[in-house]
Amino acid sequence: MKSSSLSSYPIDFLKKLLKDMLLIRRFEEKCGQMYGLQKIGGFCHLYIGQEAVAVGSIAALDLNRDYCLTAYRDHGHALACGLCPNGLMAELFGKATGCSRGKGGSMHMFDITKGMYGGNGIVGAQIPIATGMAMRFRYKKEKGVVLCFFGDGAIHQGVFHESLNLAKLWKLPIVYICENNQYGMGTDFHRVSAVEDLSIKGAAYNIPGKQVNGMDVLEVYEEVLSAVNQAKEEGIPTLIEAKTYRYKGHSMSDPGKYRSKEELESYKQQDPILILKNQMVDAKILTEEEYQSYDEECKNISNESVRFAEQSPEPSLSSLYEDVLA
Amino acid sequence: MAVMTMVQAINSALETKLKEDPDVLCYGEDVGVEGGVFRVTENLQKQFGEARVFDSPLAESGIVGTAVGMCIAGLRPVVEIQFCGFVYPAFNQILSHVARMHNRTRGRYRMSMVIRFPYGGGIKAPEHHSESMEALYAHIPGLKVVIPSNPYDAKGLLISAIESDDPVLYLEPKKIYRAIKQDVPDEKFTIPLGQAKVMQEGQDLTLVSYGAMIREAQKAVVMAKKEGYSIELIDLRTISPIDRETLAQSIRKTGRVLSVTEGPKSFGVGAEIISIANEEAFLNLEAPPTRLAGFDTVPPYPRGEGWYFYPPERIFYEIKKLMDF
């Protein structure tokens, strides 16, 4: 383990990281179930396996003033930013009580009061948007930072390169986090990337790049925190490649036939939740019973979110024309 | 002859052209190993090799931009974009280069490409996964826009599109990718671009549609028949260039026209059909040329879908209004 020993962290902080990851895991499992029951329509991209990236990174933010943006695999980031699971599930159900009032669905979770500036259904679309938001901090001379999450597919979009150039040129406080879960839909990233180490892509713009183990929440936290501080204090943007893995298909309609069972199993052995849990148990700051009670709590919260969503009203017909123009 | 879904028919068209013409290449994200997001290109890489059917990064501007270069160099690329709502990063390439390169070089370059993408709603997904933006492309001179409504047409039209020296945007109604099965010849056949098809002859009203809405229109025609109305149903098949002649002849005969399309109503394909009625059949009109289309908003997430897309009952209701005018 690259991160410093557990003893340097407050126990409550470690427990929060663990609980946040567990909640994402249980919530996402519930989403999968509800999709299977056709309660959730359209497309639904689960975050299971990648929990340490969102939780570790977002723990480095001050959500009262910093911004977080991501793409369509956004339930995990929303939960890590502290959005209420009830509002998220209701959004997935397309109900009026959803965090986007039932009009956005899985890919469009927003709550600007919690620093969550949204998912986005278009691959790479959030990268220049996040870059523009970072301009605000610089222009207003405010201390804040933008975390911009995207995948190994999005890094090949032209806007990635345009944005990194501007971020460096304008000295923007932004941390680009490429969640490399190895597959752009069904395409192994090696088949479409000229380089294996995606973190070197910042080099053309003189932006520092780092690879981190995205299955280790503390390593993610430490690297992102150091990049966040550098961004806030010195206006230096960073590109971080978090090596991670999604256990489920690209979306619920993807059976994931492009990878072997053995590969999937080998990543499950490096499960981000188990890594932290085992470290904490070894350090005698967590008991198996405590862990079970957290797990129970997260399952209950997820069940409650379904109940809330089920009982919520549907958006009215007239809401179709709401918000088309200001 | 084999029974095919639309997905299989499009695959068969691609196979036919890949076999026949070594200049034809297929690429896009997931197109090679995986066979595309909707499995339209399944097995084509196995059959024709990685040099001809291959994966690209999900970078639409790059996908279409390189296709422009391939056309200039004499190839016939058939590229896939995953959804209609994902085309926009390539919009600059399409408008500025794909549509104009032929004209800009006074005919020296031919943009012999096909850009394929699924479009349309009815799959319970919001905005960019459900939208129908054919009117955007139909508005651009230099492009052809084709939308099949059944497996047979899908194969014949796609082969024509690949053989066309003009760039063709080939929009595939994903809602009915697997909903209709039909006898489709295994061998090569073509359906000319720019020709609408009169699916059913009638005397009282011309109903014009295309793509997934044809199915709904057909149901409305049956409902109308029970009420004693004789409806002429036209499947446009090629949106641009639009088949003015077929439309004009039909509207002159029936004196009434109703279009049914999915995209937002204002400035859409329906408006063009109404213009044709006014320009070509004004003195024959018995009722105001009318359009049914999506609302002027983004396609909603599932709860609003039933309102946004037209069920046959609402098409029939509109037919009745025009008949009673």
Side-chain angles (χ1 to χ4, degrees):
Chain A
M1 175 186 163
K2 196 181 156 207
S3 46
S4 48
S5 75
L6 290 194
S7 57
S8 58
Y9 297 100
I11 293 177
D12 284 348
F13 175 76
L14 296 171
K15 286 184 175 171
K16 183 171 183 329
L17 293 181
L18 185 65
K19 275 189 190 173
D20 282 356
M21 291 196 291
L22 253 177
L23 178 60
I24 294 172
R25 176 73 51 97
R26 297 307 177 215
F27 183 85
E28 292 290 64
E29 286 168 354
K30 197 42 90 178
C31 290
Q33 241 178 38
M34 291 301 114
Y35 192 90
L37 293 172
Q38 299 187 320
K39 301 279 185 185
I40 297 173
F43 295 86
C44 183
H45 312 83
L46 301 182
Y47 198 61
I48 297 175
Q50 299 180 216
E51 294 90 342
V53 184
V55 170
S57 308
I58 291 168
L61 291 188
D62 172 358
L63 290 170
N64 290 317
R65 59 178 185 191
D66 297 335
Y67 303 141
C68 166
L69 288 88
T70 184
Y72 43 79
R73 199 178 303 286
D74 61 346
H75 312 170
H77 306 80
L79 287 169
C81 284
L83 270 68
C84 172
N86 288 358
L88 294 185
M89 192 60 85
E91 187 57 41
L92 285 156
F93 275 53
K95 297 297 186 79
T97 54
C99 62
S100 303
R101 284 184 282 159
K103 292 178 84 175
S106 168
M107 300 176 279
H108 305 109
M109 303 296 187
F110 295 86
D111 188 345
I112 59 174
T113 66
K114 299 208 157 56
M116 175 61 181
Y117 280 75
N120 196 312
I122 298 297
V123 169
Q126 74 279 22
I127 304 174
I129 297 171
T131 307
M133 290 178 73
M135 185 63 177
R136 178 211 154 89
F137 290 130
R138 200 189 140 219
Y139 180 68
K140 299 262 188 191
K141 299 191 171 60
E142 292 170 356
K143 275 248 163 77
V145 68
V146 181
L147 287 193
C148 175
F149 295 90
F150 51 91
D152 49 284
I155 206 163
H156 302 300
Q157 287 279 1
V159 284
F160 166 79
H161 294 275
E162 296 175 33
S163 300
L164 262 67
N165 182 52
L166 292 175
K168 180 67 183 181
L169 189 70
W170 294 342
K171 300 186 176 61
L172 301 183
I174 182 164
V175 182
Y176 298 99
I177 301 177
C178 176
E179 300 192 55
N180 182 358
N181 66 15
Q182 324 284 328
Y183 294 91
M185 289 198 70
T187 301
D188 185 323
F189 86 100
H190 295 97
R191 279 211 306 277
V192 290
S193 179
V195 294
E196 163 117 24
D197 177 353
L198 302 181
S199 72
I200 67 168
K201 281 176 175 276
Y205 311 103
N206 202 13
I207 286 179
K210 280 227 168 96
Q211 269 187 328
V212 304
N213 176 6
M215 308 305 262
D216 182 340
V217 69
L218 290 173
E219 184 177 328
V220 173
Y221 170 71
E222 283 176 16
E223 291 296 352
V224 173
L225 183 65
S226 127
V228 158
N229 288 336
Q230 197 170 244
K232 281 184 178 173
E233 301 304 326
E234 300 166 67
I236 298 176
T238 304
L239 171 63
I240 290 175
E241 178 193 6
K243 303 284 277 187
T244 181
Y245 201 79
R246 61 169 151 76
Y247 296 176
K248 300 290 179 183
H250 164 76
S251 71
M252 289 301 296
S253 43
D254 169 20
K257 286 180 182 162
Y258 40 82
R259 57 188 186 184
S260 67
K261 277 189 185 130
E262 293 72 30
E263 180 183 296
L264 178 59
E265 274 316 305
S266 79
Y267 278 97
K268 285 187 178 174
Q269 300 309 312
Q270 316 161 42
D271 186 85
I273 297 173
L274 285 184
I275 289 179
L276 182 62
K277 177 199 163 193
N278 291 341
Q279 286 169 349
M280 290 173 70
V281 170
D282 289 348
K284 301 202 188 321
I285 51 176
L286 179 80
T287 64
E288 188 62 43
E289 292 70 36
E290 272 177 294
Y291 176 78
Q292 291 306 333
S293 77
Y294 294 164
D295 197 21
E296 226 23 63
E297 193 185 322
C298 293
K299 284 178 182 164
N300 291 339
I301 292 170
S302 305
N303 289 336
E304 165 57 23
S305 73
V306 168
R307 195 198 58 78
F308 176 81
E310 292 270 21
Q311 292 181 359
S312 291
E314 306 213 336
S316 62
L317 173 55
S318 62
S319 75
L320 275 185
Y321 272 116
E322 278 172 14
D323 306 319
V324 175
L325 293 173
Chain B
M1 201 68 90
V3 176
M4 295 186 197
T5 61
M6 188 178 286
V7 163
Q8 291 164 329
I10 296 169
N11 183 282
S12 171
L14 293 169
E15 184 191 11
T16 303
K17 285 309 296 177
L18 280 161
K19 211 177 272 177
E20 184 185 271
D21 183 352
D23 289 337
V24 172
L25 306 174
C26 294
Y27 66 103
E29 200 207 25
D30 273 343
V31 161
V33 176
E34 276 292 293
V37 58
F38 288 101
R39 303 296 178 264
V40 173
T41 55
E42 199 153 43
N43 291 323
L44 294 177
Q45 187 179 68
K46 269 187 205 144
Q47 206 178 336
F48 297 99
E50 286 181 31
R52 303 202 47 210
V53 180
F54 49 94
D55 294 317
S56 75
L58 189 70
E60 294 83 2
S61 182
I63 292 171
V64 175
T66 51
V68 172
M70 289 181 199
C71 290
I72 292 172
L75 301 174
R76 287 188 181 274
V78 181
V79 300
E80 175 178 303
I81 304 290
Q82 294 192 325
F83 285 88
C84 181
F86 294 7
V87 178
Y88 314 128
F91 200 76
N92 175 43
Q93 291 292 339
I94 293 175
L95 200 159
S96 304
H97 307 300
V98 173
R100 297 181 181 178
M101 199 59 89
H102 182 73
N103 181 269
R104 185 179 294 149
T105 61
R106 301 296 175 258
R108 269 168 292 193
Y109 293 161
R110 296 199 168 160
M111 289 293 106
S112 48
M113 75 171 75
V114 178
I115 304 174
R116 297 179 34 244
F117 48 89
Y119 86 99
I123 59 158
K124 299 199 179 304
E127 46 164 324
H128 28 60
H129 286 78
S130 285
E131 58 200 359
S132 303
M133 287 297 166
E134 61 277 13
L136 287 183
Y137 305 107
H139 190 66
I140 301 172
L143 299 177
K144 289 183 174 173
V145 181
V146 172
I147 301 183
S149 70
N150 60 72
Y152 183 90
D153 284 359
K155 178 167 178 178
L157 288 167
L158 182 53
I159 291 177
S160 294
I162 298 172
E163 292 183 345
S164 169
D165 281 337
D166 292 311
V168 179
L169 274 69
Y170 184 89
L171 282 67
E172 302 169 4
K174 61 174 140 6
K175 187 187 178 186
I176 55 168
Y177 257 156
R178 293 182 166 81
I180 305 170
K181 287 187 175 172
Q182 213 177 18
D183 279 333
V184 180
D186 290 312
E187 59 274 14
K188 178 178 169 178
F189 68 98
T190 57
I191 294 173
L193 305 186
Q195 286 185 14
K197 181 181 179 187
V198 180
M199 299 192 72
Q200 180 174 325
E201 291 191 16
Q203 299 303 319
D204 298 333
L205 180 144
T206 301
L207 185 60
V208 188
S209 192
Y210 50 85
M213 294 310 285
I214 284 287
R215 272 211 320 175
E216 311 309 316
Q218 281 172 318
K219 291 175 200 160
V221 169
V222 173
M223 295 164 91
K225 195 177 174 192
K226 283 185 191 149
E227 297 281 315
Y229 304 133
S230 160
I231 308 297
E232 180 144 305
L233 177 61
I234 295 180
D235 179 357
L236 272 188
R237 300 198 294 196
T238 299
I239 311 308
S240 177
I242 198 164
D243 184 353
R244 273 184 99 82
E245 198 40 49
T246 300
L247 290 175
Q249 268 178 20
S250 176
I251 301 166
R252 279 185 210 125
K253 177 176 72 177
T254 63
R256 297 180 181 85
V257 61
L258 172 65
S259 69
V260 182
T261 60
E262 281 188 43
K265 184 173 187 172
S266 300
F267 307 95
V269 177
E272 191 60 32
I273 292 166
I274 292 173
S275 291
I276 290 172
N278 284 328
E279 289 162 4
E280 306 281 354
F282 188 71
L283 295 176
N284 304 83
L285 293 176
E286 303 282 348
T290 300
R291 59 193 156 153
L292 285 177
F295 301 150
D296 287 331
T297 174
V298 287
Y301 191 51
R303 306 292 154 177
E305 200 174 69
W307 294 317
Y308 192 90
F309 300 106
Y310 280 88
E313 290 76 13
R314 281 165 68 193
I315 300 173
F316 172 62
Y317 176 76
E318 206 64 35
I319 290 174
K320 216 165 149 18
K321 261 173 47 186
L322 292 180
M323 293 309 302
D324 294 342
F325 181 79

